[in-house]
Each structure stands twice: as C-alpha cells, then as structure tokens.
Amino acid sequence: MNQSKNIGLSSVLLRRVGILVIGLLCLHFVLKIHVFHFQLHDFAPHTVSHENSEIYADSKQIALSVSQSSEPIIPEKEVPAKSPPPSPSPSPPAPEVWSHPVFGTQLPPPPSSIMLTFGSRAVSDFILNWVKNVEKIKDIGPYIVACMDEDLLALCKSKGIPAFYARSANIIGDRGNLGTDPTKQSRQTIGSDRYYRTDGAAFKKMGAVKAAMLQMMLETGYNVFISDADVVWFGNPWGIVGGRTDIPIREDAADLARADVVASTDCIDFLEDRGPGLIGHEQNTGMLFLRATVSTIELTKEWQVRALETTDGHDQTEYNRILKGLYIPGKPGKAFRDLMPWPYLPISLDSETHKRDSKPVIGKDFIERPDGQLAVHPNLMASAWQTYDRHKQTGHRDAYWMWHGQIKVGLLPMAEFLNGHLFFTRRLQDYSGIAPIAVHLTYQFGDTADYVYGKRQRLREHGIWLMEEESYFTDGDFLAITNAEAGYKHIVHKYAPRARVCKETDPVASKCWHGERLTEDSIREGHLSPRDPEKYQDPARPHLEIQGWLRGVLRNGIVLSQILNRTLILPRLECFCERHWWLLEDCRIPAGKSQMPMPYNCPMDHIFEPAEWYYHKVNFREPTFLNNSRVPLDVKNSRLQVRLDGARESGAHFDGPRHTLHLPQQLTFFQAAEHIRHLDSGATSQSHKRVIEINAAELRNRFSLCGGSVPQEVKALNERLMHILDGRLVEFCSKERNTLLHEVAPIFERQGLDAKQGMNCSYPGKWPVTANPVLWAEKITQENRQAWIGDPLVVCQTNN
C-alpha cells in the first residue's frame, strides 16, 4: 500500500517538475527575444542615436532622422487593403522605425528598390569585386554595402562606395546562445580578418544581424535584393522580380513580381526548374529578393530570433524551416521533421473554393495535422495540379503560399541565377543558350579560415575576378604547359570502348563518358557476386589515373618554372569524375546527373587544395590566363615553343621560323634552363620571349629526375611538392561499389560508429586504394602517395 502511495507521489512530482521545466523553457525563449531586440537597439529600426547610427554618404557620416510615426513605411502598392493579421512571429511588435536614411544622392527616397551586400574585412576584396561587377550593369540601380566592422566601412568610404555600419555585429557579440566554445567566441567576432563561414559562432551571429538589417531596410520602405559577397552579377534582375516601375516585368515572371520573397535554390537538377517540387528544395539566401510588405517584415523578425536560437543549423537553415512551416508560429521549441506535404498552393490558383491571390484559410484551404503542421486540403489538390500543368505548358513561373499561408514565395530561374555547380562544373550557360544574370559561388571546395582560396580561384578561371592589379597580367615571364588533352586521351583510351557511349539525354554530344559501364562490365566478365561490391571496378578509375599523370606533369613544371624564374600557367584541367562529399552515380552527383557533361573542364579545387599552392608559394596562373583580355598583346604574341624531342647525344637546335627550341631528351632541369636562357639573351630584343610553351607529355616523361646536388635541399623540395600535389582529401565514393550500404550502415550505427565506415571509396595513389572515409588514412602508404605524383627527385653530382 505504502509502495503504491510512493509511486503515486513520484508520478505527481515528475509531472510538476515537467511542467516547471516547460515553463522555464518558454520564459527563456521570451526573455531571449527581448534581450536580442535590446541588443539590436542601436541598429534595428527601433530608435536612433547619432552615436550608434553610422551611415555615410558623400564621404561624410550623416545622422539619421527619426520618423514621428510608429507605422512601417511601406510602398503604397504593397500596403494590404485590410488590417494586417497578428504577427506569427514570436517577437514583440516593432517599435518606432527610422524614416528614410539620408545617403545624399546615393540612394533614392523610399519606396524604391536597392541592391545590398554585406561582409567584414575578411571578405573585403570580394565586396569590392561585387561592387565592380554591379557597376558594370546598365540600369541596375542603387546599391549599398552593410559593413560588419569599421575597417570595411573605412575602405568603402575611401572608395566612394555607399555603405553603413552594421554595429550590431559587435553588440550581439558573444551574449547570444551561439553553441560553441566560449573561449573561441571571445576571440572571434564577425569583424575578424578570418573567414566567418568557417566559424559556427560567428556565422550564426552574422545570420541574425543580416535578418535584423533586412527588417530595418524593409520597414524604411525599400525593396531589397540582398546577395552574398561571393555573388557575381552579369545582368539586371528587376524584370524578373519587379520593384522598378521603369523596367517592364517579363511575361513568364508575372507571379514572381507579386511575391513577397523570391529566392535562389541549391537544387542542381535543371529539369526541376519549373516543377512544382522545386519550392520544397533548399532555398539559398545568398541571392534573395524581399519586397517591403508586412508579411516580409514579420518574416525577418522571426528569422533573426530563430537564427540565434538554432542549435543545429544557421540562418539559411532557419529561413527554410520557417517558410516550410516547421515551427508552430510564436512558440519556442525544435522544428518538426520536414514532412510538410506539397504541393504548396500557387498564388494564381483559382478554383470553386479558392480565388486567385486569396490568402489560404486554415480549416478551408489548409487542414491542421495532429502534430500542429498544416497540410493542403484534399479538395484543392486536383486544382493545384491543374495549375501546375497549365503553367508548365506556357512557361509561367509560379509563386506559392508558404509559412502557414502567411507569405508569397517564388524562385529565381535556375539558368539565370546559377549556383556554383551549375555554373562552374556543369557549365549550364555554355549549352543552354541562356545568358546568366548572376552566379553564387556555392558547391565549391578549397576555402580555409584564413582565406577563400577556392572561390577566388574559380573566379580567376572564368575571368570574372576583377580585383587583380595590372601587374598580375603584365609583369614577369611565363611557362605555359600545353596539350595536356592529348595525355588525358591517351590514358583513357583503353577504357573508351566501354565508357564512351552516348545517351540521348547527354547534353553535349562530344562529352558522353559513362564510367558506370566499367563497373557493369567488370561484374559480368569477372562473374562477381552482388555481395562483393568492393571487387567491382570503380567508375572513378580512369579519373584517378589521369590525375596521377597530371601530377607528374605539374611536379616537373613547378621545378622548371622556379629555376627559370617564370610564372607557371596551368594546363587545361580535365576531370572524368566529379568531386562530391557523398555517393556518386556514374561518377556524377546524383541530382540531375543526366545533364552533366563528362569529361568536363574541372575547377582547380576539384583536384587540388588551392591553399597549399599559396602556402608553399607556387607562382602560378589559371589555365585560361592567356585568354584574359587584360593580358597585353605583347605578352600573348611573344611565345617560344620548347620541345624535348631530340636524341640524347644531339645538341640544342633553334627553328627560327617556327619559334621552336628543340632539346635532347633526359636533360636535367638545370641544363634545359641554361639552353633557354642562352636563347633568351640573344643579340636582338626579339630573342627574349615572354611565354615559353612546353608539351605536357614531354615535360613529364623526358626530363632527368635530378633535383639538385644538395641532399637536404632535394629532400625539402620533394616534401614541398608532396604537400602541393598530394590531393589525399579528394575521395570518390561510387554508388555502384556501395550497393550494400543500406545493409551495412545500420550495423555501424547500432554500434555507435560512423555509418561511413561501411563505405567503399577510392583514394588517390598509384596503386588502387579502397577504404572508407573514416579510416582511409591508415591504408595509404607514403610510398603509394609518392608514386602517384611521380618518382621522387634525386640528388645528382652536378646541376649542369
């Protein structure tokens, strides 16, 4: 009996403790909101002080005037006819707002539309590159930069760039629940000289400040097209998103021009572009248009709070969760699982129960699920699908009701607002016939906390990095590696009969390589069991062989260019397998794989770590360097070909009419350099050539491996080359060789281990290396790594 009473008392006590804990969590969330808004006091449009509101124009800092009204300033066309509904945001109502910030003649008075980017001194050169590209575009209109530290503000001011100081970057500081090591938080702020994307605390802080900054500008009355500093602009977006009365709306974008928000997408399957499912894909806030409406202002208020509260994401994660309705509006707590049924309702849907542009009604258009999420009413599903089908035929781009029917959201056209994969890897713009408007540098590798080396290298390769000094193109002499394509072709020749088979879906007829055929043939010819996928030939095998050969070329090129004191121009880089952080299918990223040409001109960060080249001071230029219009003609036209095609006992021979120097094979690098210098120092000024071209295969195979006469120096050189060319971090995990992963992975997970231990992946090495992404380092020997980039350089008796 006493035992029953004790159990009953324990149950009551547990219930009360549970209620108390829930109450404390709710109180924490509410207090957090108020603290966050208090911390934004000097930045968000709640109040104004001359000390903390730093905006400059015409090379001066000008104070802001204060609006006497407590109502947001919104363009007349965007003000709802009826009183706005209560905010679904957990934040309190917005207090007084600023009136039009005074930027002199830099910005027009609201209502108007502006371009905006933001950053700290860590990305100052990307900010300037963004500005230079924007300024090249006709009628793109006013722009402004939000500076997250004083250094960037001073830089913008010195160059006459309209900018303001987002001081809240420092005010939020480390008081927020940033979820990382406090000692690291205290050392790093957004205004750091390190890349904030690599620090979780700083990145979360930046996301919250971005949302607060957008709230300010929207309440002031501006439509804002915000884009990250690593976006490059080629054209004018206003005909697609609207917001400019002087620019007509494109016919297919009529609904986008009525949307509150228009975003870019991380989807890389171009065939999904107008599909109804695309709205449910991850939207990317790196290119984002927000119209000055009540709904959009409320979105930014919720967004900034969720961005600071998140423990498993960042601002873009929270943006997507909010729009998909994964939170109960106004309530704290973790997000629902992403089970939101689609299709979302198109704003142009017109049916017996729902009228065009009508805001969805809960209970009629939406039904509430037991867990609190909303779903489209079954009676509207058929009408929604009819709308999709009709618009697919006409090319009309839909916008949709999201965030529990509170806001209208559209997507930017994928072929015109490209993510990094579509532009730099798939090169959709080359075969789609559609001119790009902007590209965002996503889906890339090679960035570090010190600098975004991978992003900058991609822009250089495409000639859209505008921050180089003229000396980058004019100073010094160059050594260019040519005709690497012949070497690639020779290596894959033995695989071509099986892998080079074109399909109807291949977007480029000359690029139809399918490595999956190698796996299929090895299974059939070797009578391999489906239970032994690690024995299958990897679709990535030809690619790895090419990369090993290329490293031997570059090893010798780096050494020769250093001896000649010339800048190395990389050869064309060709890949037969994509780089990806998960499983590949047919050596392609699964999404949209049918549209991926193969082989492709691969970015440097797909096969190397660009940072290593800079850390080890390799003086080099991108493969497209000589095609850049900024390279002077007296450099482009001053060329000498060097061929290592003579017999060993023959001497050097110069063919004047063909501007070709013929050298015997198996010379040391020092001997070849001596011949080149002798010709360079001829009697006439025309003897010196700015660009020396050397065949890739001859460079790799026809030099002696003499690296010098001092053993310590040769050893140090070999170690340096290993760091530059190793590329061990590049793994290739093919679905064709992981057919049992769905069985194996759960076994590892039940043991508390990483599921990746069940994967079969290929790693660089002269001899095939099969390993999993967790324990791979144990299987790659130093000998194998060295052999992959070529035999080590050796000590020789003399340099001559």
Side-chain angles (χ1 to χ4, degrees):
M1 187 72 172
N2 290 334
Q3 185 177 5
S4 300
K5 288 183 178 180
N6 290 336
I7 293 174
L9 289 172
S10 299
S11 300
V12 171
L13 181 61
L14 286 173
R15 283 197 297 272
R16 289 179 178 176
V17 169
I19 293 171
L20 178 60
V21 169
I22 293 171
L24 288 174
L25 286 174
C26 292
L27 179 61
H28 162 76
F29 191 79
V30 172
L31 288 175
K32 186 73 174 180
I33 294 164
H34 285 282
V35 170
F36 177 64
H37 280 275
F38 174 75
Q39 291 167 347
L40 292 177
H41 177 79
D42 74 325
F43 171 69
H46 299 166
T47 187
V48 175
S49 69
H50 292 295
E51 178 184 359
N52 293 329
S53 302
E54 300 188 11
I55 297 183
Y56 90 89
D58 295 332
S59 301
K60 296 180 180 179
Q61 290 185 334
I62 301 177
L64 301 175
S65 58
V66 183
S67 171
Q68 300 301 315
S69 169
S70 61
E71 292 298 320
I73 298 177
I74 301 174
E76 293 182 4
K77 291 185 179 180
E78 304 297 345
V79 176
K82 301 179 181 179
S83 299
S87 168
S89 167
S91 61
E96 286 191 6
V97 300
W98 290 336
S99 69
H100 168 227
V102 181
F103 292 100
T105 59
Q106 301 290 349
L107 287 182
S112 58
S113 299
I114 63 170
M115 305 285 290
L116 172 70
T117 193
F118 61 95
S120 69
R121 67 176 179 265
V123 293
S124 58
D125 51 353
F126 274 80
I127 293 285
L128 297 179
N129 193 66
W130 184 95
V131 168
K132 285 190 174 186
N133 279 286
V134 165
E135 288 181 339
K136 291 167 58 177
I137 301 169
K138 182 181 179 182
D139 296 330
I140 199 167
Y143 68 87
I144 197 164
V145 177
C147 304
M148 295 186 172
D149 55 42
E150 295 183 30
D151 290 344
L152 181 59
L153 181 71
L155 176 65
C156 289
K157 182 175 180 179
S158 69
K159 295 181 176 295
I161 297 172
F164 67 92
Y165 188 15
R167 182 184 288 275
S168 299
N170 294 323
I171 288 181
I172 294 175
D174 306 313
R175 302 180 210 172
N177 178 24
L178 300 179
T180 58
D181 182 358
T183 59
K184 187 173 184 180
Q185 293 179 28
S186 64
R187 290 195 308 269
Q188 179 149 329
T189 64
I190 294 180
S192 163
D193 57 0
R194 292 169 70 79
Y195 180 38
Y196 52 72
R197 185 64 177 88
T198 62
D199 179 83
F203 193 52
K204 284 176 63 176
K205 184 193 313 179
M206 179 276 296
V209 172
K210 179 171 76 172
M213 177 176 59
L214 288 168
Q215 178 190 345
M216 175 195 75
M217 307 204 81
L218 293 167
E219 287 180 334
T220 306
Y222 287 108
N223 303 317
V224 182
F225 204 130
I226 184 171
S227 57
D228 289 353
D230 61 346
V231 169
V232 176
W233 287 92
F234 307 107
N236 195 315
W238 302 118
I240 294 174
V241 299
R244 287 274 298 274
T245 57
D246 58 327
I247 297 179
I249 303 301
R250 213 166 68 183
E251 185 176 354
D252 66 322
D255 279 4
L256 301 186
R258 304 206 314 276
D260 301 297
V261 176
V262 189
S264 55
T265 175
D266 276 340
C267 179
I268 61 174
D269 188 350
F270 178 59
L271 299 181
E272 291 278 342
D273 186 29
R274 287 189 176 90
L278 186 60
I279 194 68
H281 279 266
E282 179 84 356
Q283 295 179 27
N284 192 297
T285 57
M287 293 188 288
L288 181 68
F289 175 74
L290 301 102
R291 209 176 308 278
T293 64
V294 170
S295 296
T296 310
I297 291 169
E298 294 302 315
L299 170 67
T300 59
K301 288 160 60 179
E302 172 130 350
W303 187 9
Q304 57 194 268
V305 176
R306 298 290 187 188
L308 270 187
E309 285 291 323
T310 186
T311 58
D312 59 350
H314 46 75
D315 67 296
Q316 182 171 297
T317 311
E318 295 308 309
Y319 164 89
N320 279 278
R321 286 171 174 171
I322 293 167
L323 289 188
K324 290 182 178 181
L326 302 186
Y327 291 112
I328 297 176
K331 293 185 179 181
K334 291 188 175 181
F336 294 115
R337 292 180 62 193
D338 190 358
L339 300 176
M340 181 72 176
W342 63 271
Y344 297 92
L345 288 181
I347 67 172
S348 57
L349 176 65
D350 197 358
S351 71
E352 294 180 359
T353 59
H354 182 91
K355 297 304 178 185
R356 178 185 177 90
D357 286 333
S358 298
K359 195 170 187 177
V361 177
I362 297 177
K364 186 181 78 169
D365 303 316
F366 286 153
I367 55 174
E368 189 169 355
R369 295 158 53 102
D371 59 5
Q373 291 195 78
L374 299 179
V376 175
H377 197 287
N379 294 340
L380 282 180
M381 293 292 285
S383 299
W385 280 110
Q386 290 171 5
T387 303
Y388 299 141
D389 291 340
R390 184 172 66 253
H391 289 173
K392 184 177 180 180
Q393 299 298 322
T394 62
H396 182 90
R397 296 187 175 276
D398 283 304
Y400 303 85
W401 290 105
M402 300 190 78
W403 194 21
H404 301 288
Q406 297 291 326
I407 198 165
K408 296 174 285 187
V409 181
L411 293 177
L412 295 164
M414 289 174 64
E416 293 166 283
F417 297 83
L418 295 98
N419 56 47
H421 186 271
L422 290 179
F423 186 89
F424 295 105
T425 303
R426 193 164 293 178
R427 300 196 180 211
L428 178 63
Q429 68 279 7
D430 290 346
Y431 62 84
S432 68
I434 301 174
I437 292 176
V439 58
H440 185 196
L441 277 88
T442 55
Y443 287 94
Q444 111 290 316
F445 304 86
D447 295 340
T448 70
D450 297 320
Y451 191 72
V452 283
Y453 295 103
K455 294 180 188 292
R456 183 179 66 181
Q457 189 62 26
R458 288 199 176 192
L459 296 182
R460 281 176 168 170
E461 290 167 354
H462 285 257
I464 49 180
W465 179 249
L466 307 182
M467 296 309 299
E468 308 292 5
E469 300 290 342
E470 287 304 312
S471 59
Y472 182 85
F473 302 98
T474 60
D475 290 4
D477 299 321
F478 304 93
L479 175 67
I481 302 175
T482 63
N483 203 27
E485 298 87 341
Y488 304 148
K489 184 177 180 180
H490 175 75
I491 291 170
V492 303
H493 177 73
K494 58 181 176 291
Y495 300 109
R498 291 177 290 168
R500 185 172 284 125
V501 179
C502 293
K503 300 180 180 181
E504 292 183 2
T505 55
D506 288 326
V508 181
S510 60
K511 295 180 179 294
C512 47
W513 184 272
H514 294 283
E516 64 183 359
R517 297 286 297 271
L518 303 177
T519 307
E520 295 168 358
D521 286 355
S522 71
I523 294 172
R524 183 176 61 255
E525 295 169 4
H527 304 288
L528 299 177
S529 166
R531 309 300 301 178
D532 295 319
E534 70 277 6
K535 295 181 181 179
Y536 303 167
Q537 187 169 67
D538 197 324
R541 180 64 183 271
H543 176 75
L544 287 170
E545 289 188 21
I546 282 176
Q547 296 312 314
W549 179 85
L550 175 64
R551 278 159 171 75
V553 173
L554 293 176
R555 175 202 61 186
N556 291 356
I558 291 171
V559 174
L560 183 59
S561 65
Q562 181 176 305
I563 294 172
L564 288 169
N565 194 27
R566 286 175 174 262
T567 299
L568 181 68
I569 300 177
L570 299 181
R572 175 181 170 184
L573 305 178
E574 195 166 274
C575 288
F576 283 72
C577 202
E578 288 195 75
R579 182 177 181 181
H580 189 43
W581 41 78
W582 192 238
L583 292 178
L584 295 163
E585 294 182 21
D586 195 17
C587 258
R588 295 160 168 85
I589 298 177
K593 65 177 184 178
S594 65
Q595 305 130 52
M596 178 64 202
M598 193 72 71
Y600 65 100
N601 293 346
C602 45
M604 183 183 184
D605 61 89
H606 269 206
I607 51 180
F608 298 106
E609 296 298 326
E612 293 292 337
W613 290 62
Y614 291 98
Y615 293 158
H616 292 280
K617 296 180 171 54
V618 181
N619 195 5
F620 73 100
R621 297 289 185 266
E622 58 277 6
T624 55
F625 175 74
L626 292 175
N627 297 328
N628 196 302
S629 60
R630 296 178 66 186
V631 177
L633 288 177
D634 63 351
V635 173
K636 293 181 178 181
N637 296 334
S638 178
R639 303 197 190 197
L640 169 70
Q641 288 190 28
V642 174
R643 301 294 308 275
L644 278 80
D645 54 359
R648 294 190 182 187
E649 63 277 4
S650 65
H653 167 66
F654 176 61
D655 184 344
R658 291 183 173 82
H659 303 286
T660 303
L661 175 63
H662 297 272
L663 298 177
Q665 301 179 40
Q666 297 305 308
L667 293 178
T668 69
F669 300 111
F670 304 97
Q671 291 169 336
E674 199 62 36
H675 285 296
I676 294 170
R677 288 197 192 102
H678 178 74
L679 184 63
D680 252 358
S681 59
T684 68
S685 60
Q686 295 182 350
S687 300
H688 178 74
K689 299 299 181 183
R690 300 292 303 279
V691 180
I692 291 175
E693 298 177 321
I694 188 165
N695 179 278
E698 294 177 7
L699 176 63
R700 188 187 194 281
N701 301 322
R702 297 184 180 180
F703 272 104
S704 160
L705 292 180
C706 165
S709 58
V710 181
Q712 294 84 351
E713 293 179 358
V714 175
K715 180 181 178 182
L717 179 57
N718 278 323
E719 291 176 351
R720 176 172 175 256
L721 292 168
M722 178 67 73
H723 283 292
I724 295 167
L725 300 171
D726 187 9
R728 282 186 302 159
L729 298 180
V730 183
E731 64 191 20
F732 300 94
C733 305
S734 303
K735 185 176 180 180
E736 292 83 357
R737 298 179 73 238
N738 285 279
T739 55
L740 304 180
L741 186 61
H742 66 286
E743 297 179 13
V744 176
I747 298 175
F748 285 95
E749 290 175 339
R750 284 195 294 270
Q751 298 174 5
L753 301 174
D754 192 330
K756 288 186 176 182
Q757 290 196 40
M759 295 174 68
N760 299 307
C761 302
S762 291
Y763 286 84
K766 184 173 179 62
W767 306 288
V769 179
T770 299
N772 65 66
V774 179
L775 305 175
W776 59 269
E778 300 175 3
K779 289 199 171 187
I780 302 178
T781 64
Q782 180 70 17
E783 180 186 11
N784 199 1
R785 290 171 57 201
Q786 179 64 66
W788 192 55
I789 69 172
D791 295 331
L793 302 178
V794 299
V795 178
C796 46
Q797 297 301 316
T798 177
N799 292 347
N800 298 308

